[in-house]
Amino acid sequence: MLQAKHIVVATGSKVRLLPIPGAEHMITSDELLSERELPSSVIFVGGGVISLEFGHVYARAGTAVSVLEALPQLLPAMDSDAVAQLHAESERIGIQIRTDVKVRRIEQVGHRLRVVFTDGDIEQALEADRVVNGVGRIANVDALDLAAGRVEQVNGCIVIDRYLRSASNPQVHVCGDAVPVSPQLSPLATYEGEIVGRNIVNGPRHAPDYAGIATSVYTVPSLAAVGLTENAARQTGSAIDVHVNDMRDWFSAQSYAETVAWSKIIVDRASDLILGAHFVGHAGQELINVFGLAIKFGITAKQLRDNVYAYPTFSADIKHMLGHA
Ligand SMILES: Cc1cc2nc3c(=O)[nH]c(=O)nc-3n(C[C@H](O)[C@H](O)[C@H](O)COP(=O)(O)OP(=O)(O)OC[C@H]3O[C@@H](n4cnc5c(N)ncnc54)[C@H](O)[C@@H]3O)c2cc1C
């Protein structure tokens, strides 16, 4: 046994279990990364980041890939127009996508697996060599005896205050994927770990600021995003300008023979501040950090337009992306 004045829960995340018959036939992303042979067909249950990233790898390697998503849209938290671009491109490279379907059970059929799902009232099935659990990951805290430390949890999540401490026992700190309210991202885990460290040393003075934290889905092309989706921006009730560009015929996109080069940038009309940015292709996984910086430090759309960028670069297109409301 170890005793300490402060305890940090940094136990990461674990795969969300799907309560359906035959769920034990599914492999996780951990097992998938240890595969020694290329399967001829794979079904991903769930249309999130892990399914799309691995799905693109498999599809480009020649595997038949299917994705089954329960909600009407892949990547439900992302901007729907950006997702539509990635959806179409994923189908173009041969991935079969079914949204709005509910997976009911998984059966072993010889050496293969059959996934039975319903589309409305109609039962259908797909067969493949592998079925991957891609329904998401949850905070990995339920195996800890949290009650012994007076650490309150609700629905398997530790209840925390703004300083990333247990709301019921402030000597217990939480960071990384074990935090229930922030995205499960590696740089965020490091950021939250630093905040926890500083709060332990200095007392509870540091709270995380999640504004301007960018994320990417590393498909080819990638989908990158920061800030609000258009839907969320409209729900704020403020007047917004939405700049959407299909850049496939721009010089930079042509140079790289991009099949998708798409951006959406959302600007608050009154303040000219960037509210959100979304890219598919066009080095969006790099450009998105410029918009993260703008959101975090209040750089306006005019300032981004007025900047002089190295040319030829994808960044040089930023001023044109913001050109027309
Ligand atoms: C397939 C996959 C791809 C990803 N790709 C990206 C990406 O491209 N970019 C990105 O930003 N993020 C990515 N992530 C997310 C990223 O890996 C996590 O956000 C990050 O690792 C979280 O760090 P952490 O320290 O909170 O948890 P972890 O890195 O998971 O570390 C937690 C550690 O705690 C240990 N542990 C658990 N329970 C106990 C216990 N009871 N006692 C002792 N030790 C315990 C675990 O074994 C583990 O070593 C990906 C995740 C997955 C699964």
Side-chain angles (χ1 to χ4, degrees):
M1 185 197 286
L2 288 173
Q3 291 187 330
K5 189 168 173 196
H6 296 275
I7 291 176
V8 181
V9 177
T11 45
S13 64
K14 62 178 186 177
V15 171
R16 185 193 302 275
L17 297 177
L18 204 56
I20 55 165
E24 69 279 5
H25 295 305
M26 287 191 286
I27 59 171
T28 66
S29 56
D30 296 346
E31 290 160 298
L32 194 149
L33 282 165
S34 309
E35 287 266 45
R36 309 300 301 172
E37 287 170 13
L38 186 69
S40 65
S41 51
V42 177
I43 297 169
F44 289 89
V45 178
V49 176
I50 285 176
S51 298
L52 286 167
E53 289 181 351
F54 283 110
H56 271 233
V57 172
Y58 273 127
R60 289 179 188 280
T63 296
V65 175
S66 305
V67 177
L68 301 174
E69 165 58 49
L71 294 174
Q73 173 185 309
L74 300 172
L75 300 165
M78 309 292 257
D79 185 89
S80 54
D81 290 335
V83 173
Q85 295 283 328
L86 183 60
H87 185 131
E89 182 64 4
S90 302
E91 288 184 328
R92 192 189 71 79
I93 65 166
I95 298 176
Q96 186 190 355
I97 299 170
R98 300 289 302 270
T99 53
D100 236 340
V101 295
K102 308 276 179 293
V103 171
R104 301 294 179 188
R105 62 184 184 277
I106 300 167
E107 300 162 349
Q108 181 94 47
V109 186
H111 294 299
R112 285 163 67 81
L113 295 166
R114 178 187 292 143
V115 178
V116 179
F117 60 96
T118 47
D119 183 348
D121 293 334
I122 301 167
E123 192 168 276
Q124 300 177 37
L126 283 174
E127 286 188 16
D129 295 344
R130 301 273 186 285
V131 180
V132 180
N133 180 339
V135 298
R137 299 177 68 91
I138 52 172
N140 179 23
V141 295
D142 58 356
L144 305 174
D145 187 0
L146 295 172
R150 293 182 291 103
V151 175
E152 185 195 351
Q153 59 165 315
V154 173
N155 296 330
C157 297
I158 297 178
V159 183
I160 55 169
D161 66 12
R162 61 191 296 259
Y163 300 110
L164 299 177
R165 304 176 304 173
S166 155
S168 53
N169 183 348
Q171 285 167 284
V172 176
H173 307 254
V174 192
C175 59
D177 285 6
V179 174
V181 292
S182 56
Q184 295 166 350
L185 295 171
S186 168
L188 259 191
T190 307
Y191 172 65
E192 290 169 342
E194 286 170 1
I195 287 173
V196 162
R198 280 195 255 133
N199 283 338
I200 289 173
V201 174
N202 303 328
R205 290 192 208 154
H206 310 281
D209 172 10
Y210 296 118
I213 292 190
T215 183
S216 290
V217 182
Y218 295 99
T219 41
V220 180
S222 65
L223 186 161
V226 67
L228 299 180
T229 63
E230 181 178 346
N231 199 19
R234 292 204 182 283
Q235 282 174 12
T236 65
S238 302
I240 57 171
D241 288 323
V242 180
H243 304 264
V244 177
N245 286 288
D246 181 344
M247 302 175 283
R248 278 175 299 177
D249 61 354
W250 293 17
F251 172 77
S252 42
Q254 295 262 314
S255 308
Y256 285 82
E258 288 192 291
T259 50
V260 188
W262 183 91
S263 67
K264 176 190 279 186
I265 299 159
I266 304 155
V267 180
D268 181 74
R269 194 171 296 165
S271 65
D272 201 36
L273 290 170
I274 306 292
L275 297 178
H278 308 271
F279 288 90
V280 183
H282 220 60
Q285 72 281 5
E286 296 291 344
L287 296 191
I288 204 67
N289 291 304
V290 174
F291 290 90
L293 205 66
I295 290 175
K296 185 157 180 121
F297 296 107
I299 300 168
T300 63
K302 179 178 186 315
Q303 288 170 320
L304 284 176
R305 254 193 314 266
D306 288 350
N307 189 41
V308 178
Y309 298 88
Y311 179 87
T313 59
F314 290 104
S315 307
D317 288 341
I318 288 175
K319 54 175 62 195
H320 306 298
M321 291 175 204
L322 285 161
H324 310 283

